[in-house]
Amino acid sequence: MTSAASPVESIRTRIEAREAVVGVIGLGYVGLPLALLFEESGFPVVGFDVDPEKPRALHAGASYIRHIGPERVAASFRRGRIRATADFAKLSECDAILVCVPTPLGRHREPDLSYIRSTADVIARQLRPGQLVVLESTTYPGTTREELLPRLSAGGLACGRDFFLAFSPEREDPGNERFSTKNIPKVVGGIDGASRDVAVALYAGALDRVVPVSSAEVAESAKLLENIFRSVNIALVNEMKVLFDRMGIDVWEVIEAAKTKPFGFMPFYPGPGLGGHCIPLDPFYLSWKAAEYGVWARFIELAGEINASMPRYVVDRTVEALNAQGKSVKGARVLVLGLSYKADIDDDRESPSFELLEGFRDKGAEIAYCDPYVPVARKGRHHDLGLASVPCTAEEFARHDALVISTAHRDFKDLALYAKARLVVDTRNVVPPAALAPGVLVRA
Ligand SMILES: NC(=O)c1ccc[n+]([C@@H]2O[C@H](COP(=O)([O-])OP(=O)(O)OC[C@H]3O[C@@H](n4cnc5c(N)ncnc54)[C@H](O)[C@@H]3O)[C@@H](O)[C@H]2O)c1
């Protein structure tokens, strides 16, 4: 690099030489694996988080995310190329800054961009020529251009010439053994061509496949389309579940049959409602933005309505099944199996199990949950159950009037657990239909 190198030449040379320092802001489910991947690919990395516990844990070789093993964290930090910190002054040392902060919904299901805005303000205060900033948080089309660009340009630096700005959505699937950050193709769209090319060069240094698109807006929209596709199809199959159940048809058997079609069909599975940081929230980022253009995103709203009604449906089915056994839900002991939103992971964000538990509690049941992955139900933004997991044993299960399977954890597939069960309400096809007496097993 010569002193006459332009900002674009300077950062490209540093990326090619793997000298570019990669900063990752927000060391959660998305940011931590991304930071580790860049380190493992030979880049110096600085991870930033407002929660000082996270840098401290990482430097001690610990992992606070179950599917990211502590040995992987410890190996990375031992090599000495990665640091984690709550000191955002170190942003000025970074050549690339990847933003992975939360994008939740507000109380009225409106996008909460406060994390993105405050992060943009922190970056803006230290922005220098030659830096690349990439937003990875899921958000509505236009966020990068409307929210980040003005803040980053306010100090007089020009995007595409002095600094570079792009959007590249994350596609993490926690717990997926086939696909991880490295081999999931990464879509990248820039505010301008130069920004896109610099961002593509950076990601190509660590990921197997990068997919450039013509703008940041296309990249933002692609992520939302992916998540809305899932939300709508899950809603469809949830609606089919309710209908087939009335008709005495097992929806799970129907899906198994339908998926033998080798083309034009993709299986989605019913459940007790949507969970996780993405599918229950992200679609509403787009429906909110659609209103600005006078468009009603009806599929998004309808899918949201159907999926959101599922916990109530499961509670109602359980009440009916208890009634059929001559029991009232009031005073009944109801055990919900699984607090995380997905099998074999420890992420309980937006999990429908919370709504099930609250639904039963509101009807006067004595509630408890069992989840080997979530020993204590932490206080969240919307829920505060004040419960800890009961043991996953047949003796414990026999103490409850109803077991409601909400998450298909491997641990719950041991049929011996249900030997003395009085009622099992299965929302996940965990217990085969013939395994328990009719009247004891109910699909919901
Ligand atoms: N979890 C997933 O599977 C997934 C998949 C695709 C996309 N996303 C998107 O990625 C983004 C991040 O999600 P996540 O699951 O990693 O969230 P997360 O809650 O696991 O992690 C976010 C991290 O950011 C930190 N943080 C909060 N405010 C900050 C700030 N101002 N500065 C620095 N750090 C801050 C938090 O302490 C936390 O460690 C969201 O937009 C989400 O929609 C998540």
Short mmCIF file of all heavy atoms in Angstrom, two decimals, residues 121-159:
data_model
loop_
_atom_site.label_atom_id
_atom_site.label_comp_id
_atom_site.label_asym_id
_atom_site.label_seq_id
_atom_site.Cartn_x
_atom_site.Cartn_y
_atom_site.Cartn_z
N ASP A 121 -24.89 5.93 15.08
CA ASP A 121 -24.35 7.16 15.66
C ASP A 121 -22.95 6.94 16.25
O ASP A 121 -22.06 7.78 16.10
CB ASP A 121 -25.29 7.70 16.75
CG ASP A 121 -26.59 8.25 16.16
OD1 ASP A 121 -26.58 8.63 14.97
OD2 ASP A 121 -27.62 8.29 16.88
N VAL A 122 -22.77 5.78 16.89
CA VAL A 122 -21.46 5.47 17.48
C VAL A 122 -20.41 5.33 16.37
O VAL A 122 -19.29 5.85 16.47
CB VAL A 122 -21.53 4.17 18.32
CG1 VAL A 122 -20.15 3.72 18.76
CG2 VAL A 122 -22.42 4.38 19.54
N ILE A 123 -20.78 4.64 15.29
CA ILE A 123 -19.83 4.46 14.18
C ILE A 123 -19.52 5.82 13.55
O ILE A 123 -18.36 6.14 13.26
CB ILE A 123 -20.40 3.51 13.10
CG1 ILE A 123 -20.67 2.12 13.68
CG2 ILE A 123 -19.45 3.40 11.90
CD1 ILE A 123 -21.43 1.18 12.73
N ALA A 124 -20.57 6.63 13.36
CA ALA A 124 -20.40 7.92 12.66
C ALA A 124 -19.38 8.81 13.36
O ALA A 124 -18.61 9.51 12.70
CB ALA A 124 -21.75 8.63 12.57
N ARG A 125 -19.38 8.74 14.69
CA ARG A 125 -18.47 9.62 15.43
C ARG A 125 -17.00 9.30 15.14
O ARG A 125 -16.14 10.13 15.35
CB ARG A 125 -18.73 9.50 16.95
CG ARG A 125 -20.00 10.22 17.38
CD ARG A 125 -20.01 10.48 18.88
NE ARG A 125 -20.36 9.29 19.64
CZ ARG A 125 -21.62 8.91 19.88
NH1 ARG A 125 -22.62 9.62 19.43
NH2 ARG A 125 -21.87 7.82 20.58
N GLN A 126 -16.73 8.07 14.68
CA GLN A 126 -15.33 7.68 14.49
C GLN A 126 -15.00 7.31 13.06
O GLN A 126 -13.91 6.82 12.77
CB GLN A 126 -15.00 6.48 15.37
CG GLN A 126 -15.48 6.67 16.78
CD GLN A 126 -15.26 5.42 17.61
OE1 GLN A 126 -14.17 4.87 17.59
NE2 GLN A 126 -16.27 5.00 18.33
N LEU A 127 -15.98 7.48 12.17
CA LEU A 127 -15.78 7.02 10.79
C LEU A 127 -14.57 7.70 10.16
O LEU A 127 -14.36 8.90 10.31
CB LEU A 127 -17.04 7.34 9.97
CG LEU A 127 -17.13 6.67 8.61
CD1 LEU A 127 -17.35 5.16 8.76
CD2 LEU A 127 -18.29 7.27 7.80
N ARG A 128 -13.76 6.91 9.45
CA ARG A 128 -12.59 7.48 8.77
C ARG A 128 -12.54 6.94 7.34
O ARG A 128 -13.16 5.90 7.05
CB ARG A 128 -11.30 7.14 9.53
CG ARG A 128 -11.09 5.67 9.70
CD ARG A 128 -9.70 5.32 10.16
NE ARG A 128 -9.59 3.90 10.45
CZ ARG A 128 -9.48 2.94 9.55
NH1 ARG A 128 -9.50 3.21 8.25
NH2 ARG A 128 -9.38 1.67 9.91
N PRO A 129 -11.80 7.61 6.45
CA PRO A 129 -11.74 7.13 5.06
C PRO A 129 -11.21 5.69 5.00
O PRO A 129 -10.36 5.30 5.79
CB PRO A 129 -10.76 8.10 4.40
CG PRO A 129 -10.82 9.33 5.23
CD PRO A 129 -11.06 8.87 6.64
N GLY A 130 -11.79 4.93 4.06
CA GLY A 130 -11.32 3.56 3.85
C GLY A 130 -12.08 2.52 4.65
O GLY A 130 -11.79 1.34 4.55
N GLN A 131 -13.09 2.93 5.42
CA GLN A 131 -13.83 1.94 6.20
C GLN A 131 -15.05 1.43 5.44
O GLN A 131 -15.69 2.18 4.70
CB GLN A 131 -14.29 2.54 7.55
CG GLN A 131 -13.21 2.50 8.62
CD GLN A 131 -13.70 3.03 9.96
OE1 GLN A 131 -14.43 4.02 10.01
NE2 GLN A 131 -13.27 2.41 11.04
N LEU A 132 -15.36 0.16 5.68
CA LEU A 132 -16.57 -0.47 5.13
C LEU A 132 -17.52 -0.74 6.29
O LEU A 132 -17.11 -1.30 7.31
CB LEU A 132 -16.19 -1.80 4.45
CG LEU A 132 -17.35 -2.77 4.17
CD1 LEU A 132 -18.23 -2.25 3.04
CD2 LEU A 132 -16.80 -4.16 3.80
N VAL A 133 -18.78 -0.35 6.12
CA VAL A 133 -19.80 -0.65 7.13
C VAL A 133 -20.87 -1.51 6.46
O VAL A 133 -21.35 -1.18 5.37
CB VAL A 133 -20.45 0.65 7.69
CG1 VAL A 133 -21.55 0.31 8.70
CG2 VAL A 133 -19.39 1.55 8.32
N VAL A 134 -21.20 -2.65 7.09
CA VAL A 134 -22.24 -3.52 6.54
C VAL A 134 -23.29 -3.79 7.62
O VAL A 134 -22.95 -4.21 8.72
CB VAL A 134 -21.68 -4.88 6.06
CG1 VAL A 134 -22.78 -5.69 5.36
CG2 VAL A 134 -20.50 -4.69 5.13
N LEU A 135 -24.54 -3.54 7.28
CA LEU A 135 -25.63 -3.87 8.19
C LEU A 135 -26.06 -5.31 7.91
O LEU A 135 -26.30 -5.68 6.75
CB LEU A 135 -26.81 -2.90 7.97
CG LEU A 135 -28.04 -3.15 8.85
CD1 LEU A 135 -27.71 -3.00 10.34
CD2 LEU A 135 -29.18 -2.20 8.47
N GLU A 136 -26.14 -6.12 8.97
CA GLU A 136 -26.58 -7.52 8.81
C GLU A 136 -27.94 -7.76 9.46
O GLU A 136 -28.58 -8.76 9.19
CB GLU A 136 -25.55 -8.46 9.45
CG GLU A 136 -24.20 -8.45 8.76
CD GLU A 136 -23.70 -9.85 8.44
OE1 GLU A 136 -24.39 -10.81 8.77
OE2 GLU A 136 -22.61 -9.95 7.85
N SER A 137 -28.36 -6.86 10.35
CA SER A 137 -29.63 -7.05 11.06
C SER A 137 -30.79 -7.04 10.07
O SER A 137 -30.82 -6.22 9.16
CB SER A 137 -29.86 -5.92 12.06
OG SER A 137 -28.75 -5.79 12.93
N THR A 138 -31.75 -7.91 10.29
CA THR A 138 -32.91 -7.98 9.41
C THR A 138 -33.77 -6.73 9.58
O THR A 138 -34.06 -6.32 10.71
CB THR A 138 -33.76 -9.22 9.78
OG1 THR A 138 -32.90 -10.35 9.79
CG2 THR A 138 -34.88 -9.43 8.80
N THR A 139 -34.18 -6.14 8.46
CA THR A 139 -34.97 -4.91 8.54
C THR A 139 -35.68 -4.65 7.22
O THR A 139 -35.49 -5.38 6.25
CB THR A 139 -34.06 -3.73 8.94
OG1 THR A 139 -34.86 -2.55 9.03
CG2 THR A 139 -32.93 -3.51 7.95
N TYR A 140 -36.52 -3.62 7.16
CA TYR A 140 -37.29 -3.35 5.94
C TYR A 140 -36.41 -2.70 4.87
O TYR A 140 -35.39 -2.07 5.17
CB TYR A 140 -38.52 -2.49 6.24
CG TYR A 140 -38.23 -1.16 6.88
CD1 TYR A 140 -37.71 -0.09 6.15
CD2 TYR A 140 -38.48 -0.96 8.24
CE1 TYR A 140 -37.45 1.13 6.75
CE2 TYR A 140 -38.21 0.25 8.84
CZ TYR A 140 -37.70 1.29 8.09
OH TYR A 140 -37.42 2.49 8.68
N PRO A 141 -36.81 -2.86 3.60
CA PRO A 141 -36.02 -2.28 2.51
C PRO A 141 -35.95 -0.76 2.65
O PRO A 141 -36.97 -0.10 2.86
CB PRO A 141 -36.80 -2.64 1.24
CG PRO A 141 -37.81 -3.64 1.65
CD PRO A 141 -37.99 -3.59 3.13
N GLY A 142 -34.77 -0.23 2.54
CA GLY A 142 -34.57 1.22 2.65
C GLY A 142 -33.85 1.62 3.92
O GLY A 142 -33.37 2.74 4.04
N THR A 143 -33.74 0.71 4.89
CA THR A 143 -33.14 1.08 6.18
C THR A 143 -31.68 1.54 6.01
O THR A 143 -31.27 2.55 6.59
CB THR A 143 -33.17 -0.11 7.16
OG1 THR A 143 -34.51 -0.59 7.24
CG2 THR A 143 -32.70 0.31 8.54
N THR A 144 -30.91 0.80 5.22
CA THR A 144 -29.49 1.13 5.10
C THR A 144 -29.34 2.54 4.50
O THR A 144 -28.55 3.35 4.97
CB THR A 144 -28.77 0.09 4.21
OG1 THR A 144 -29.14 -1.21 4.68
CG2 THR A 144 -27.26 0.24 4.26
N ARG A 145 -30.15 2.81 3.46
CA ARG A 145 -30.03 4.10 2.77
C ARG A 145 -30.66 5.23 3.60
O ARG A 145 -30.14 6.34 3.64
CB ARG A 145 -30.71 4.01 1.39
CG ARG A 145 -30.28 5.10 0.42
CD ARG A 145 -30.92 4.90 -0.96
NE ARG A 145 -30.60 3.63 -1.58
CZ ARG A 145 -29.51 3.39 -2.32
NH1 ARG A 145 -28.64 4.35 -2.55
NH2 ARG A 145 -29.30 2.19 -2.84
N GLU A 146 -31.79 4.94 4.25
CA GLU A 146 -32.52 6.03 4.93
C GLU A 146 -31.99 6.30 6.34
O GLU A 146 -32.07 7.43 6.81
CB GLU A 146 -34.01 5.66 5.03
CG GLU A 146 -34.71 5.63 3.68
CD GLU A 146 -36.04 4.86 3.73
OE1 GLU A 146 -36.54 4.57 4.83
OE2 GLU A 146 -36.56 4.55 2.64
N GLU A 147 -31.48 5.27 7.00
CA GLU A 147 -31.06 5.44 8.40
C GLU A 147 -29.54 5.52 8.56
O GLU A 147 -29.04 6.36 9.31
CB GLU A 147 -31.61 4.27 9.26
CG GLU A 147 -33.11 4.17 9.27
CD GLU A 147 -33.79 5.28 10.07
OE1 GLU A 147 -33.11 5.92 10.90
OE2 GLU A 147 -34.99 5.52 9.85
N LEU A 148 -28.82 4.63 7.87
CA LEU A 148 -27.36 4.62 8.08
C LEU A 148 -26.65 5.66 7.23
O LEU A 148 -25.77 6.37 7.72
CB LEU A 148 -26.78 3.22 7.79
CG LEU A 148 -26.76 2.31 9.02
CD1 LEU A 148 -28.12 1.71 9.25
CD2 LEU A 148 -25.71 1.22 8.91
N LEU A 149 -27.02 5.73 5.96
CA LEU A 149 -26.29 6.62 5.04
C LEU A 149 -26.26 8.07 5.53
O LEU A 149 -25.16 8.66 5.61
CB LEU A 149 -26.88 6.51 3.63
CG LEU A 149 -26.19 7.34 2.55
CD1 LEU A 149 -24.72 6.94 2.40
CD2 LEU A 149 -26.92 7.19 1.21
N PRO A 150 -27.40 8.69 5.90
CA PRO A 150 -27.32 10.09 6.35
C PRO A 150 -26.46 10.26 7.60
O PRO A 150 -25.72 11.23 7.72
CB PRO A 150 -28.77 10.47 6.65
CG PRO A 150 -29.62 9.33 6.28
CD PRO A 150 -28.77 8.18 5.86
N ARG A 151 -26.57 9.30 8.53
CA ARG A 151 -25.78 9.42 9.76
C ARG A 151 -24.29 9.31 9.46
O ARG A 151 -23.47 10.06 9.99
CB ARG A 151 -26.18 8.33 10.76
CG ARG A 151 -27.53 8.60 11.40
CD ARG A 151 -27.95 7.46 12.32
NE ARG A 151 -29.06 7.86 13.18
CZ ARG A 151 -30.34 7.89 12.80
NH1 ARG A 151 -30.67 7.53 11.58
NH2 ARG A 151 -31.28 8.30 13.63
N LEU A 152 -23.92 8.38 8.58
CA LEU A 152 -22.50 8.16 8.31
C LEU A 152 -21.92 9.26 7.41
O LEU A 152 -20.72 9.52 7.43
CB LEU A 152 -22.27 6.78 7.67
CG LEU A 152 -22.69 5.57 8.54
CD1 LEU A 152 -22.34 4.26 7.86
CD2 LEU A 152 -22.06 5.61 9.92
N SER A 153 -22.79 9.89 6.62
CA SER A 153 -22.31 10.95 5.71
C SER A 153 -22.25 12.31 6.39
O SER A 153 -21.67 13.26 5.83
CB SER A 153 -23.24 11.08 4.49
OG SER A 153 -23.47 9.84 3.91
N ALA A 154 -22.86 12.43 7.57
CA ALA A 154 -23.04 13.74 8.20
C ALA A 154 -21.72 14.46 8.45
O ALA A 154 -21.66 15.69 8.41
CB ALA A 154 -23.83 13.60 9.50
N GLY A 155 -20.65 13.70 8.66
CA GLY A 155 -19.34 14.33 8.96
C GLY A 155 -18.61 14.80 7.71
O GLY A 155 -17.49 15.32 7.83
N GLY A 156 -19.19 14.58 6.53
CA GLY A 156 -18.56 15.10 5.31
C GLY A 156 -17.91 14.04 4.43
O GLY A 156 -17.51 14.33 3.30
N LEU A 157 -17.80 12.80 4.91
CA LEU A 157 -17.22 11.74 4.06
C LEU A 157 -18.27 11.27 3.05
O LEU A 157 -19.46 11.20 3.37
CB LEU A 157 -16.75 10.56 4.91
CG LEU A 157 -15.60 10.83 5.89
CD1 LEU A 157 -15.23 9.55 6.65
CD2 LEU A 157 -14.37 11.37 5.17
N ALA A 158 -17.82 10.92 1.84
CA ALA A 158 -18.76 10.52 0.79
C ALA A 158 -18.78 9.00 0.66
O ALA A 158 -17.73 8.36 0.55
CB ALA A 158 -18.37 11.16 -0.54
N CYS A 159 -20.01 8.46 0.62
CA CYS A 159 -20.16 7.00 0.46
C CYS A 159 -19.78 6.62 -0.96
O CYS A 159 -20.15 7.31 -1.93
CB CYS A 159 -21.60 6.60 0.76
SG CYS A 159 -21.84 4.82 0.70
#
